[in-house]
Amino acid sequence: MNAPVLPAPVTPSLAGGFAHPAHDAARAFRAAMQALARPGRIQQITGAMPPAPLSVAAGTLALVLMDQTTPVWLAPSHDSAALRAWLTFHTAAPFTTAEAAHFVIGSWEALTPVSRFATGTPDYPDRAATLIVEMPTLAASGTRLTGPGIQDSARLSLPENAAFQANHALYPLGFDTFLTAGDQIAGLPRSTRLEDI
Amino acid sequence: MTTASMPVEAESYNFAYLDEQTKRMLRRAILKALAVPGYQVPFASREMPMPYGWGTGGVQVSAACLVPEDRLKVIDQGADDTTNAVSIRKFFQRTAGVAVTEATTEASLIQTRHRIPETPLTEDQILVYQVPIPEPLRFLEPRETETRRMHALEEYGLMHVKLYEDIARHGEITNSYAWPVMAHDRYVMTPSPIPKFDNPKLSDSPAVQLFGAGREARIHALPPYTKVVSLDFEDHPFVASKADHECEICGSRESYLDEVITDDQGGRMFVCSDTDFCGSRSAALETERS
Ligand SMILES: [Zn+2]
């Protein structure tokens, strides 16, 4: 991507929040909900303009879901002072370890091994992490998906299959995943079964 | 928290009544509920400007989902014009500025108490149920820690025994509500007090289905195209029963009927419970005749 040359804003790390917080968050949530409810269906999600390397989709999702009650972990690919400042200003989410995080953000390589993330408890399977995996691109091709939210089957370009298959094997425990690229988002809940092509 | 100087913010900040922090919490709960179909996610229920029993759980879920572009329909036992339905519709017209409708086909979000519309739902729709008692095992076990453990261990044997005893003792109860279902072969869940007749519509629906219980502060969900099976027994298979009549207004033999008293001489008639379905059908028949 070519970054356009712009004059430096006064507070570069703090710009890029929602212009109309309630409406932007509502629309973005609907996109995220449809993404997770319909695995393999790629949705558009916009509203936030986070600092690089965070995508518009991941930044928007962060503003929709994160606050002071949701500890977050930034994988090395995304752990920059600028991004920390931006997330702190816009969400107030505290930073924590990979194991304790409610939300984790990073490239697939930087998030691996994903088996360290919270998968909930038998009594409270909802107490599981949500992964926001930044991808170069998203496409409705590749791994075959079946399960809730999918009529017959769907396909989604995933960074790998084995880790998600292992996560699905924990069902009803397991983490849930959003994949983001640019202003696009796709969901992969723990309930989705993956088949190699 | 962002760009607080913008004038538009003051107007939209409490979009759909609830503050942003509360909606974030509800939205996180809805996503986890969709990730584990039938599992009840706890949330921090808020005081709403209406009493419990008036759908405060459904109202909170709807508030977390609504966008300004939505067209909202609210039904109470199939009817759009009851006090409860009218007041919830007006509440969101006022607080979210959304358009409203009584036509199932025109609605993008439908909040319901005790019915699933007769008209098949589509992928472009969200159905939000008001739920009084979210725990299907509560009649067996009053302790929350115990019911959680039973769900965790899939310990549903006692529930089957109790349901079987009820059927054996009372026979098939045609007008039974909140008949429990198995969601995605894992969690027993309540469909809320819809008639058994509506249970088959829960399964493989193209729409997103969300269930909100206000007093007990639980959200559960069914993603689209999720397998939902009504509990039954080999010698007592599940039957989606309805009154064996046709609607005396529109003549439908397929829709769920209410028996209504028509006068003080004990006169009765069977009419569709879904008033939009009945009205649309009657209007179509009218057009055909003229
Ligand atoms: Zn009728």
Side-chain angles (χ1 to χ4, degrees), chain B residues 151-229:
Chain B
H151 284 296
L153 300 174
E154 291 184 81
E155 216 180 85
Y156 297 133
L158 191 59
M159 162 147 223
H160 280 92
V161 169
K162 184 71 169 56
L163 284 178
Y164 190 88
E165 282 175 1
D166 278 2
I167 293 174
R169 191 172 307 136
H170 306 294
E172 301 296 332
I173 308 157
T174 51
N175 263 340
S176 61
Y177 297 84
W179 189 260
V181 297
M182 176 67 84
H184 185 46
D185 295 324
R186 179 55 183 83
Y187 283 96
V188 169
M189 64 163 251
T190 180
S192 85
I194 57 173
K196 280 170 86 172
F197 176 81
D198 281 342
N199 272 27
K201 296 183 225 164
L202 295 160
S203 193
D204 272 312
S205 173
V208 170
Q209 301 178 82
L210 305 172
F211 301 76
R215 189 177 44 231
E216 304 217 14
R218 296 286 183 276
I219 291 171
H220 59 277
L222 294 170
Y225 310 115
T226 297
K227 182 181 161 196
V228 179
V229 179

Side-chain angles (χ1 to χ4, degrees), chain A residues 17-23 25-27 29-30 33-34 36-38 41 63-70 89-90 103 122-126 128-130 147-151 171-172 176 178 189-191, chain B residues 1-3 6 8-9 12-13 15 20-21 23-24 27-28 30-32 34-37 39 41-42 64-70 109 123 126 148-149 152 184 186-187 206-208 210 223-226:
Chain A
F18 287 148
H20 309 289
H23 289 178
R27 294 187 185 107
F29 171 68
R30 276 284 272 274
M33 182 178 84
Q34 292 293 354
L36 198 72
R38 303 176 192 277
R41 286 272 187 103
L63 266 52
V64 171
L65 298 177
M66 295 178 194
D67 57 31
Q68 64 274 23
T69 68
T70 60
F89 179 74
H90 290 288
F103 290 96
D123 283 1
Y124 293 95
D126 55 304
T130 301
I150 303 165
Q151 188 178 27
Y171 190 85
D176 305 300
F178 285 103
R190 65 190 86 173
S191 60
Chain B
M1 170 155 259
T2 56
T3 58
M6 295 194 64
V8 66
E9 172 142 355
S12 60
Y13 199 76
F15 173 73
E20 291 305 293
Q21 162 113 16
K23 279 183 283 188
R24 266 195 302 274
R27 287 165 180 161
R28 290 192 297 262
I30 290 168
L31 293 180
K32 288 304 176 195
L34 284 165
V36 189
Y39 165 72
V41 181
C65 289
L66 279 172
V67 295
E69 296 74 27
D70 267 321
L109 190 147
E123 290 197 342
I126 297 169
R148 277 204 174 264
R149 196 187 54 79
H184 185 46
R186 179 55 183 83
Y187 283 96
V208 170
L210 305 172
Y225 310 115
T226 297

Side-chain angles (χ1 to χ4, degrees), chain B residues 247 249-252 255 271-272 277-278:
Chain B
C247 170
I249 296 172
C250 76
S252 172
S255 79
V271 297
C272 293
F277 176 83
C278 195

